[in-house]
Structures are given as C-alpha cells and as structure tokens.
Amino acid sequence: MKKIFLIGSLISFIAGCGPKPIPDPPATLKCEYRSAPLGIDAAKPRLSWEIPNSRRGTMQSAYQVIVSTSGSVFTETEADAWNSGMVKSARNIQVEYNGEPLKPGKRYFWKVKFWDENGTASEFSSSSWWETGLMDPSGWKGAWIYNGIPAPENEADMYKDTPVPLFRKEFNITKEVVSARLYITGLGYYESFLNGARVGDRMLEPGWTNYAKTIQYSVYDVTHMLQPGENAIGVIVGNGWYNPLPLYLFNRLNLRNILTIGQPKFIAQMNITYADGSSESVVSDVSWKTGNGPILMNNVYLGEKYDARLEQEGWAEPDFDEKTWSEVVIAEAPGGELVAQIQPPIRITRYVVPVKLTQPKRGTYIFDMGQNFAGVARLTVKGPAGTRVQMRYGELLHEDGTLDDRSTIACHIMEGWYVQHRPGAPRNANQTDTYILKGKGEEVYHSRFTFHGFRYVELTGFPGTPAFETLRGLRMNSDLAPAGKFECSNPLLTKIQENAEWTFLSNVFSIESDCPGREKFGYGGDIVTASEAYIYNYDMSNFYSKAVMDFSNDQRPSGGMPECAPDNAIYDKGLSEDTGPI
C-alpha cells in the first residue's frame, strides 16, 4: 500500500510540473447587458463576458479587450478602436470601453481573452459587436411632424371618434444598398412600415417616460426591406400616454393636467449607405403627407375602436393615390432628450388558447382563457360590412356566468361609486375593443395601441356562432430574458411559481406596474417589494436601469421621490411635499 501511495504521489507531482492546460475562451459577450445590441447611445458602453466552466475552479486573473471597426475577423494589430492590453483584474462585468471616441451609426466588433488563476492565457473569444445610435441630438436631421389638427377645446369632444393619423413618404433607390437604419419614435405609440410591411415586431413603442425629460427612440435594420426603384415609408401614431383622455381617475386625476401631453406626432430618420460609399437620409419633414386611419378611438384604459371599412389599402406602399391626403405640419418638440431605448421592448410573448366557451345569455359569449394575463385578444370573424363586434375584458364572472369587469375598470370610474360623471366620459370605464367589419372574407383583428388585464373576454355582436378558434389571447410584456428557473417535486409549489411568473410578466410594460388593468402606474413601492423576486427570475438589468431613470426624471425639488414614475401626482405621506410614502 505504501508503494502504491508513493507511485500515485509521484505521478501527481510529475503531472503538476507539466504545462498548464489552456482555458477555453470567454463566452456570452454582452454590451450594455445586451447581446449584439443595435443602437447604443452610451459614450463608454459597459462590456461583460462569462468565464467558461469547462474546468473546475477556473478564475480570471487578467483580461484583454480588443475592438475594431474593420470587421468581425481581426487581430490585435487591427484593433483600431481599442486595445486594452493585459489588465490585471478579476472583473468580467461593467468593463467600460476606453478607446477612440465612438461615432454615431457605427458598428464596432470586439473580442476578449482572459488569463486564469495560473496565469495561462486563453485564446480570444469569437467576435461580437455593438452598433451606436445617433448618440447626440445634433445627429437628428428630421423634425417632429403631425397632421396639424389641434386637440378639442371641450373635454366632452375628446371622447368623440377621432381617426388616428397616417403618414407616408415615397423615395427612390437608384444604387445598391449595403445598409439602412431607421431611427424613429412617436408619441404616444407608433408603428412603422416599409413598402407595406411592418418594421419589427415591437408593440407599444416607445416605452412610457416623462416626455419633457426623456423620449426613447428605437433603431431598426431595414436593409432587407428596401427595393430598387420606388419605395414608401409609412407611420401610424396612437395616443398612448401622450394624448390621454380627461378621465379624472379616482375622481381627481386628470392626466391631461399632469403629464406632458400633445397631439400624436413622430420623428424619423432613415440613414442609407450605398455600395459606392455614398449615403443619404430620408427624414420626417414637410415633404410627407398625412391621412386618416381606421382606428377611431384608442386609449390605454378604455381600449380601441377600429372600423375596417375605413382602411386605406396600400397606404404604406409606392404608387398609392394620395391626392386626398394633406400636407403635414412641423410640430413643437415635446421637450425631452432623444435617447436610444434601453429596456427590453414589449412583444407578443405567448399565444393563449381558450379553455372554455359559454353563452350565459342570448348573443353574449364568454371566452375563458384559463389564465389571468396582460395583453389583448385577437379576433377572427367573417360577416357583413358594418357588423359591430365588441370584446369586453375582465378578470371575474358573476354567479350567472356573465362578465364581472369591476376589478379592471379604470380607477373607480363606474356606476354606483363616488365619482362625478362628466359630459362625454363613460359611466363605466371598462376595457373594450370594438371592431367594425368591412365584409370582405375572413378578417383578423387585434388592437394596437392599448393593453388589458384579463382572464375572460365577453364577445357580443358576433355574426353567427363563435368557436374556440374565434379568439386567441396575445400575452404581451417587456421581453425579459430568463435568469432563473424553479422546479419542485411538490406540484403546489411549482404551480405557485408558475402563477407568480404570470403575474410578474403582466406588470412589465416598460414600467413595473401595480396592475395591468385598473391603474397601470409605476408605483415605486411595488418595485421595492417585488424587485428581488423579479431578479431571481429575469434579467432586470436594463429594465431597472430605465426605472431608475424614470424616478430620477421626476425627482421633486426637495430631492424626494414621487410615489410613481412617470409622475402622476399620486402622493402620500413622504419625507417632504410631493413625495411617496415612507
């Protein structure tokens, strides 16, 4: 036994004296907590990477970052933007770029290698990249534009049908395009189109902010959407939080007197680079035309009304007849600084199939989605032109099986409560989407500029008898990347975790809200209470960075924080006037 022990010790000693194994290169490279982000406004973006775990106990003792503008395949000597050299540090997160000043609209490629605890260097990682946005207000060549129609002077008139504005512009491509980027934002919400196709899959853009301080814009790679010859760009703009209705929430909060408001408007700039090295920009200016869209009402609380008979086919395509359209008007800027959006975009993240369909009374159908969540319902219908179908949303049912929507009615605006009912305003501020058919075969609709909290959908006015396929739930939320997972042998605990995640995702629509139906406000107390649970489940780095920005924007003159951000003038007993609870 002694001989065996000595032989084993000798083998271990000899092995320890041999060459150290080369560690695997770093992986999961991120810039500003995002993988290959398109549109970064940070002058010194923060870089991060993961140390491979292929060998137990591997630790970083030093790193080297190299950055190039020449392409994804490059060496140390070709790192024309930055070569950090060997930096003795265990840090692999929030490593600030410290190279040549970044240029707007430029793609930067980067790699990293590290030295392990034995001083052995890895190979360089695979290349990743980030691309800067416009970075500075001076980079914007376009102007804010709108249809020139002022807001009604009478509050009651604000509840009348008001078509959303459509905007369009044609332009010509005569050279080979190598890249094209669309920088755009619109208030309250917008969607953009190129040659009839929707740009991206984001919903309810931009994220809600204090528009007097900060307005977020998005960047889209639209290279593949352009075509030789005539092209057309189109934009549709909804009300969002920028053009709210005078609902008098809780009988006292008229958001029109609190928020930065105005008529729907947008600003856009498409930078096009050609194969011959030249470039040009298509921008929002007085050369655009504007017309009316089929959305007659849209509000974050009340829902949307859509008349498909008013659709203008081909309005975002070349050769559209725009003779009846009007000239746009240059709008006053809302005041906030334009910055690239930092939090994850809102997307449709799941399709929910109804589990039950009932008819509690004639002509009234109840779809049970089997799950409470936030988003909208997608309707599939076929019938005569002018048929009016309504979808009313709620979380509960009455004993007779009809919809009980009281828990999602906006801020106590309902019959029998203490609210004062004002002219034009609904007596019950429930969540309702209305679709009016055009009568041309099968029609599919879901609202664009609102979202609801619900489990049940009441369908009325449907032509015929609906089937399970008539409605689908579209779950929407800020598209958070998962950061943790929980499973348990106890089915009850697993179900509690699942229910919690549905709740979490129902309350992240660019802000972390108290509820997605009744209020939709970003209460700071809710964030503090739930933040640890969110972080265990999701990557909240950029989402909470945006939340910090919101509260910083609305910090009170005394230095205290408001109860909600963006600020809605809900204040309680705080450290000073106009601050949140303690």
Side-chain angles (χ1 to χ4, degrees), residues 95-416:
V95 174
E96 283 193 355
Y97 169 83
N98 195 29
E100 295 295 314
L102 299 179
K103 298 179 180 179
K106 185 75 174 176
R107 181 165 291 192
Y108 292 84
F109 300 89
W110 68 290
K111 303 177 182 178
V112 61
K113 72 176 182 180
F114 81 104
W115 284 259
D116 67 11
E117 70 280 2
N118 298 315
T120 305
S122 72
E123 298 292 334
F124 274 103
S125 66
S126 299
S127 177
S128 185
W129 57 266
W130 77 82
E131 186 171 307
T132 53
L134 293 179
M135 296 191 71
D136 188 86
S138 63
W140 286 89
K141 302 175 184 177
W144 286 94
I145 59 176
Y146 79 124
N147 63 6
I149 299 175
E153 295 184 3
N154 189 310
E155 287 187 355
D157 291 337
M158 295 180 184
Y159 293 95
K160 295 180 178 179
D161 287 352
T162 305
V164 297
L166 307 177
F167 302 89
R168 72 182 310 273
K169 176 183 172 63
E170 293 192 18
F171 58 98
N172 194 265
I173 298 292
T174 60
K175 304 176 185 179
E176 180 184 354
V177 175
V178 295
S179 72
R181 300 290 184 268
L182 177 62
Y183 308 88
I184 184 170
T185 191
L187 298 179
Y189 296 134
Y190 74 92
E191 288 183 2
S192 55
F193 301 81
L194 265 176
N195 298 322
R198 188 169 185 267
V199 178
D201 61 356
R202 301 180 173 194
M203 307 287 287
L204 304 178
E205 291 266 287
W208 185 20
T209 57
N210 179 338
Y211 303 130
K213 299 287 186 67
T214 303
I215 301 168
Q216 299 186 110
Y217 70 91
S218 293
V219 186
Y220 299 93
D221 181 351
V222 294
T223 309
H224 64 289
M225 301 183 73
L226 298 180
Q227 60 191 22
E230 291 299 317
N231 290 257
I233 180 173
V235 180
I236 179 172
V237 188
N239 293 323
W241 297 97
Y242 186 63
N243 188 33
L245 289 171
L247 283 172
Y248 289 90
L249 310 174
F250 305 112
N251 205 32
R252 63 185 182 87
L253 295 178
N254 179 358
L255 295 180
R256 299 190 66 83
N257 296 331
I258 300 166
L259 305 180
T260 299
I261 65 168
Q263 291 296 89
K265 62 189 67 172
F266 80 98
I267 184 171
Q269 178 170 320
M270 187 193 308
N271 289 347
I272 307 171
T273 303
Y274 297 107
D276 63 4
S278 63
S279 62
E280 70 171 319
S281 296
V282 177
V283 303
S284 50
D285 57 20
V286 293
S287 66
W288 289 59
K289 293 293 183 66
T290 182
N292 290 334
I295 301 176
L296 301 180
M297 187 277 288
N298 67 103
N299 177 260
V300 291
Y301 292 110
L302 300 184
E304 188 172 288
K305 178 182 178 182
Y306 188 103
D307 190 341
R309 298 171 300 179
L310 302 178
E311 291 176 346
Q312 301 201 45
E313 187 175 352
W315 70 273
E317 300 177 16
D319 301 322
F320 173 76
D321 185 0
E322 58 184 29
K323 291 179 182 178
T324 61
W325 286 41
S326 306
E327 304 289 338
V328 302
V329 176
I330 300 297
E332 182 179 352
E337 179 184 2
L338 286 165
V339 301
Q341 182 161 299
I342 56 177
Q343 80 277 5
I346 298 168
R347 289 190 172 100
I348 297 170
T349 58
R350 187 160 174 171
Y351 292 87
V352 183
V353 178
V355 298
K356 190 176 182 180
L357 172 58
T358 58
Q359 186 181 8
K361 60 182 182 179
R362 185 175 181 179
T364 299
Y365 301 91
I366 301 293
F367 286 81
D368 180 357
M369 296 297 173
Q371 175 65 56
N372 202 321
F373 64 97
V376 296
R378 185 185 69 193
L379 170 71
T380 301
V381 61
K382 184 177 181 180
T387 303
R388 185 187 183 101
V389 181
Q390 284 195 330
M391 294 177 286
R392 187 163 62 101
Y393 300 79
E395 297 176 324
L396 302 168
L397 296 179
H398 292 293
E399 289 186 4
D400 63 357
T402 58
L403 185 72
D404 182 354
D405 63 0
R406 289 174 296 178
S407 66
T408 57
I409 281 182
C411 304
H412 300 328
I413 302 175
M414 68 179 84
E415 294 279 10

Side-chain angles (χ1 to χ4, degrees), residues 483-494:
K485 185 178 180 180
F486 175 85
E487 290 184 5
C488 181
S489 59
N490 186 319
L492 176 59
L493 296 180
T494 300

